[in-house]
Amino acid sequence: MSDPRVGLTVVHRRYVPYSHAHYAGSLVDGAYALGLFGDVATEVCIRTDGDEGLFASYSQVQFRAPVRAGDVVEVAATVTRVGTRSRTIDFEARVVCRGRPDRGGSAAEVLAEPIVAVTATGTVVVPPVA
């Protein structure tokens, strides 16, 4: 019998402020995306178990494309497995808008196709059912 929580997807969007630029070219460090994954995982746990849960581990993380200050990043988390107290979640961070400083200081555009920047699989744990 399949658990109805499997397949639940939660999506967040976040503007990446220029204050988070860490490297040349306004690049943001990879930990920024991992922080976003933690935020969306918290909402997943609230929706599936009524608790914020704890992030236990990542089984894989792949940095596929840069995230830059001025981007709008969409982060999706999908539950792929439900255990007694653990939940396995697939994550994807996509750049959906990008700053265009070449067109002006505040210019930006919506991308025709999102850029997959980071993917990961992680495990969260929740308290036992009382």
Side-chain angles (χ1 to χ4, degrees), residues 9 40 55 84 100 113 119 123:
T9 299
V40 75
F55 212 120
T84 304
R100 292 295 307 266
E113 291 294 324
T119 59
T123 301

Side-chain angles (χ1 to χ4, degrees), residues 1 19 41 48 63 69 78 97 120 124:
M1 187 161 86
S19 62
T48 59
F63 299 99
T78 302
C97 300
V124 295

Side-chain angles (χ1 to χ4, degrees), residues 40-114:
V40 75
T42 298
E43 184 177 344
V44 166
C45 290
I46 292 167
R47 289 183 178 278
T48 59
D49 295 278
D51 189 273
E52 292 182 355
L54 294 171
F55 212 120
S57 67
Y58 286 104
S59 58
Q60 66 87 18
V61 177
Q62 294 185 350
F63 299 99
R64 300 172 176 267
V67 174
R68 293 189 167 92
D71 287 350
V72 174
V73 177
E74 178 179 83
V75 178
T78 302
V79 177
T80 59
R81 189 191 65 77
V82 174
T84 304
R85 292 188 51 221
S86 65
R87 315 289 177 250
T88 302
I89 304 173
D90 284 346
F91 298 94
E92 186 172 83
R94 300 177 287 266
V95 177
V96 296
C97 300
R98 178 147 276 172
R100 292 295 307 266
D102 57 314
R103 294 185 183 167
S106 60
E109 66 184 358
V110 176
L111 300 178
E113 291 294 324

